[in-house]
Amino acid sequence: NAGVTQTPKFQVLKTGQSMTLQCAQDMNHEYMSWYRQDPGMGLRLIHYSVGAGITDQGEVPNGYNVSRSTTEDFPLRLLSAAPSQTSVYFCASSFFGLGTRDEQFFGPGTRLTVL
Amino acid sequence: ELKVEQNPLFLSMQEGKNYTIYCNYSTTSDRLYWYRQDPGKSLESLFVLLSNGAVKQEGRLMASLDTKARLSTLHITAAVHDLSATYFCAVDDGGATNKLIFGTGTLLAVQP
């Protein structure tokens, strides 16, 4: 049971480049989400999904796209990277629904630098 | 809009001392989480508090939730150096989703 995995661990991009951050989980969790962590600002929700084919925006969605074609995978796409997107990105997953133990499990993170 | 505030933002304490981290939130929620993060690492779940009056303890850490006051506390008893880390509280936004709103974190440094 690998839990939540993220690739890559580190990435450097130039302004305007695009890339996809990968996230996968093997716990059969319905709920998956992406956060970014910036110094002094805690974690902020970018996008989330409550199941395959269903996604929605979080607090800071601009500049990011997501899709959820399978239960296991939830990639985050940066279409045209900007220096303001320099951050550490965390993917998380959990079971979904009231009455469940909806503790969220976090992946190891991707440290992204945009020059 | 749900807002979550933690204080203090930074806490330097001596080994053996007790202290409390506070987490206040602005709108009704019945679910609150505490996480620990070591430098350069991911978040580790410490406590899940799901109802008013919930109290959970693990080792030297104890968390409680008062939903009426919209307040959670993380109490540290007889601190040891290994507890040095950043601690985050996160509150479920109350909708029919698992969206979490995080506090800004408390950096705890336990000095020998």
Side-chain angles (χ1 to χ4, degrees):
Chain A
N1 203 343
V4 181
T5 59
Q6 291 182 237
T7 56
K9 291 185 178 180
F10 302 94
Q11 183 71 48
V12 178
L13 292 177
K14 294 181 180 179
T15 297
Q17 287 185 316
S18 62
M19 79 159 296
T20 299
L21 280 63
Q22 301 291 344
C23 174
Q25 52 90 13
D26 61 359
M27 297 174 280
N28 204 29
H29 286 164
E30 301 95 343
Y31 182 86
M32 296 185 74
S33 56
W34 278 101
Y35 295 87
R36 60 178 287 173
Q37 183 177 28
D38 302 295
M41 300 188 73
L43 279 77
R44 293 181 291 168
L45 182 65
I46 305 171
H47 285 285
Y48 66 98
S49 169
V50 299
I54 306 170
T55 63
D56 206 346
Q57 298 180 349
E59 299 173 83
V60 289
N62 292 340
Y64 308 95
N65 279 352
V66 293
S67 60
R68 183 99 178 267
S69 57
T70 67
T71 299
E72 294 79 18
D73 301 297
F74 190 43
L76 178 72
R77 282 182 287 276
L78 284 70
L79 299 179
S80 179
S84 61
Q85 294 178 305
T86 294
S87 188
V88 181
Y89 292 84
F90 288 101
C91 179
S93 74
S94 71
F95 291 113
F96 177 69
L98 294 177
T100 66
R101 180 174 170 78
D102 53 4
E103 174 185 2
Q104 292 196 26
F105 296 88
F106 283 79
T110 295
R111 188 173 298 273
L112 175 67
T113 301
V114 182
L115 302 175
Chain B
E1 180 186 351
L2 173 61
K3 294 189 184 299
V4 181
E5 292 185 355
Q6 275 183 249
N7 64 83
L9 298 182
F10 177 70
L11 177 56
S12 179
M13 57 191 300
Q14 288 184 317
E15 282 190 328
K17 298 293 187 181
N18 303 333
Y19 209 78
T20 300
I21 299 170
Y22 297 88
C23 176
N24 293 274
Y25 53 99
S26 61
T27 64
T28 300
S29 177
D30 290 332
R31 293 186 283 187
L32 189 140
Y33 307 81
W34 284 97
Y35 288 89
R36 168 181 172 147
Q37 185 180 39
D38 293 303
K41 302 295 186 180
S42 186
L43 279 76
E44 172 191 356
S45 178
L46 293 175
F47 300 108
V48 180
L49 304 171
L50 299 177
S51 62
N52 187 42
V55 177
K56 292 196 174 180
Q57 183 164 5
E58 180 75 29
R60 301 175 187 273
L61 300 178
M62 183 175 70
S64 66
L65 177 61
D66 182 344
T67 59
K68 294 180 181 178
R70 298 175 187 164
L71 171 68
S72 179
T73 61
L74 180 66
H75 187 71
I76 303 152
T77 301
V80 294
H81 180 69
D82 285 351
L83 289 179
S84 297
T86 299
Y87 293 85
F88 291 96
C89 66
V91 181
D92 187 284
D93 83 339
T97 69
N98 283 10
K99 290 167 59 179
L100 294 185
I101 305 300
F102 278 79
T104 51
T106 296
L107 175 59
L108 173 65
V110 181
Q111 312 295 338

